[in-house]
Amino acid sequence: MKDVTEAQIGDTLYLHKQPVEPLPGFKSAKPMVFAGMYPIDQSEYNNLKSAVEKLTINDSSVTVHRDSSLALGAGWRLGFLGLLHMEVFNQRLEQEYNASVILTTPTVPYKAVLSSAKLIKEYREKEITIINPAQFPDKSKVTEYLEPVILGTIITPDEYTGKVMMLCQARRAVQKNMMYIDQNRVMLKYLFPLNEIVVDFYDSLKSLSSGYASFDYEDAGYQTAELVKMDILLNGNHVEELVTIVHKDKAHSVGKAICERLKDSLPRQLFEIAIQAAIGSKIIARETVKAYRKNVLAKCYGGDITRKMKLLKRQAEGKKKLRKIGNIEVPKDAFIKVLRTQPDK
């Protein structure tokens, strides 16, 4: 072994040329949540790299893949066992190594079953795993998409049962079991898509039940789902960092929420900015950042209306020309706001 990371928990070690039966029952921990991590300042990249390496020696269940983004620079895509695990890892980076990072909205690993033999040969497997939404294959290339599911167990006082069931149904959950533990408490079992609970489900559950409901879950494999890749466009140009994978039924509400957050985060320009959410070539949501306007009629005191119309027309033509040649630079803090903000509950 050249590296500490090569020693996995559960490995059976033996003397050279004296092999023994490996001990059964050990499985490596599977990451359930993936998030992009980038240094706030690229000059801190090497310091952050050594900090991540030291922490992963201590916590071998975190998987690390190199990643880069046009807006946020070089970074990593990290795999965690859950959202709490991700928060603890981030806190340890800040407290032990004084490292401040940008952590993008967590995503889950999806799978796609490839359709043609040519693609299977290219990827060297029939079923590919998608960690980064930007690498999501087109519908024409796959026979079906699969999303991870978990079996969730909720224990709640019976007075909150109705609210909890409505919350679960809103998250595309399928009820498997419901039983009364005692006179006041109910145990509900639901099959959840992991993507629906990964960001804010636990917070919503606690606030609905005044903090009384508890939630536990275990991995339940993958199931077929109608997934789509949603692109965000600024004046017709794709923004790669904001590509998201969503369920077909929720695409409109998620697209609208991202467009609204971008509208609040982007600085106004001298020309109008159209923010659009698109699935393929179909636009599903739109917001517009209005242009700054100079009052060109300030010098007109009375006079003929045609004089005013001529000035307004000239201004409109100027704005139109600016929009064609104008380049939108999205500030880093706008990306952080959009990527970090949780979807509307």
Side-chain angles (χ1 to χ4, degrees):
M1 285 184 191
K2 301 283 174 78
D3 195 355
V4 180
T5 52
E6 288 177 36
Q8 296 290 322
I9 293 170
D11 281 352
T12 303
L13 305 178
Y14 59 85
L15 295 169
H16 186 55
K17 291 183 180 176
Q18 292 177 31
V20 293
E21 275 290 308
L23 288 167
F26 282 102
K27 284 183 182 176
S28 55
K30 279 199 305 186
M32 301 283 274
V33 173
F34 289 86
M37 184 182 275
Y38 303 92
I40 282 178
D41 186 357
Q42 279 297 310
S43 61
E44 292 290 310
Y45 179 82
N46 288 330
N47 295 344
L48 185 58
K49 186 183 175 185
S50 63
V52 169
E53 281 172 0
K54 285 171 188 171
L55 267 184
T56 47
I57 287 170
N58 205 340
D59 186 355
S60 59
S61 57
V62 179
T63 60
V64 182
H65 300 283
R66 287 279 302 277
D67 198 9
S68 65
S69 149
L70 291 171
L72 304 172
W76 302 269
R77 189 155 283 271
L78 304 178
F80 302 96
L81 299 177
L83 208 63
L84 179 66
H85 187 202
M86 184 180 93
E87 285 169 12
V88 169
F89 190 88
N90 190 25
Q91 232 168 10
R92 284 188 67 188
L93 269 179
E94 285 178 11
Q95 289 171 2
E96 294 175 28
Y97 299 96
N98 202 20
S100 49
V101 296
I102 299 163
L103 212 61
T104 65
T105 308
T107 59
V108 297
Y110 295 100
K111 285 186 178 179
V113 181
L114 299 171
S115 54
S116 71
K118 188 183 174 185
L119 286 164
I120 294 166
K121 192 178 178 183
E122 188 185 320
Y123 286 101
R124 295 180 183 174
E125 54 189 342
K126 187 173 171 61
E127 204 173 81
I128 58 164
T129 304
I130 306 133
I131 294 170
N132 194 335
Q135 294 161 358
F136 195 69
D138 192 52
K139 185 82 178 98
S140 59
K141 295 179 181 178
V142 298
T143 50
E144 61 177 358
Y145 296 116
L146 304 168
E147 67 176 347
V149 287
I150 53 105
L151 185 65
T153 306
I154 300 166
I155 296 173
T156 176
D158 61 353
E159 63 199 85
Y160 302 111
T161 310
K163 287 181 183 177
V164 170
M165 287 171 86
M166 280 175 70
L167 173 69
C168 294
Q169 282 165 9
R171 301 303 175 104
R172 300 192 288 122
V174 179
Q175 189 173 342
K176 289 290 174 188
N177 195 3
M178 176 180 172
M179 60 180 282
Y180 277 82
I181 302 170
D182 54 31
Q183 288 182 331
N184 300 320
R185 288 183 304 161
V186 183
M187 183 167 78
L188 302 160
K189 279 188 184 284
Y190 276 92
L191 204 62
F192 287 95
L194 181 59
N195 187 34
E196 294 288 342
I197 65 150
V198 85
V199 178
D200 63 339
F201 176 79
Y202 191 67
D203 297 345
S204 304
L205 181 69
K206 283 289 181 189
S207 59
L208 272 179
S209 62
S210 307
Y212 287 112
S214 67
F215 180 63
D216 184 32
Y217 68 88
E218 58 189 77
D219 187 15
Y222 280 77
Q223 71 175 16
T224 309
E226 284 193 72
L227 302 172
V228 287
K229 182 169 105 171
M230 188 168 67
D231 297 306
I232 301 296
L233 291 83
L234 295 179
N235 278 358
N237 298 320
H238 287 263
V239 184
E240 197 179 303
E241 288 69 36
L242 298 177
V243 173
T244 46
I245 299 170
V246 290
H247 193 269
K248 202 174 178 181
D249 298 344
K250 293 207 161 189
H252 182 264
S253 57
V254 173
K256 197 171 188 313
I258 291 175
C259 288
E260 283 170 358
R261 290 205 294 271
L262 257 179
K263 185 186 177 183
D264 296 338
S265 310
L266 283 179
R268 284 173 72 187
Q269 306 284 345
L270 288 169
F271 52 92
E272 198 176 78
I273 303 170
I275 304 162
Q276 296 167 313
I279 295 169
S281 57
K282 186 185 175 187
I283 305 297
I284 57 164
R286 176 189 165 122
E287 291 288 335
T288 306
V289 179
K290 294 290 181 192
Y292 281 124
R293 288 181 71 90
K294 181 185 174 185
N295 187 6
V296 290
L297 302 181
K299 58 188 176 184
C300 294
Y301 296 103
D304 190 22
I305 187 69
T306 53
R307 190 165 161 236
K308 292 181 181 179
M309 294 306 292
K310 191 177 171 184
L311 287 168
L312 287 169
K313 191 180 176 186
R314 193 187 295 168
Q315 186 189 35
E317 281 171 3
K319 299 273 181 204
K320 200 174 175 183
K321 190 178 175 185
L322 253 180
R323 189 177 167 185
K324 279 182 186 173
I325 60 166
N327 204 1
I328 306 160
E329 291 235 341
V330 184
K332 194 177 278 187
D333 59 341
F335 271 113
I336 297 163
K337 277 180 198 169
V338 176
L339 292 169
R340 281 183 131 175
T341 310
Q342 295 180 353
D344 295 337
K345 293 173 188 176

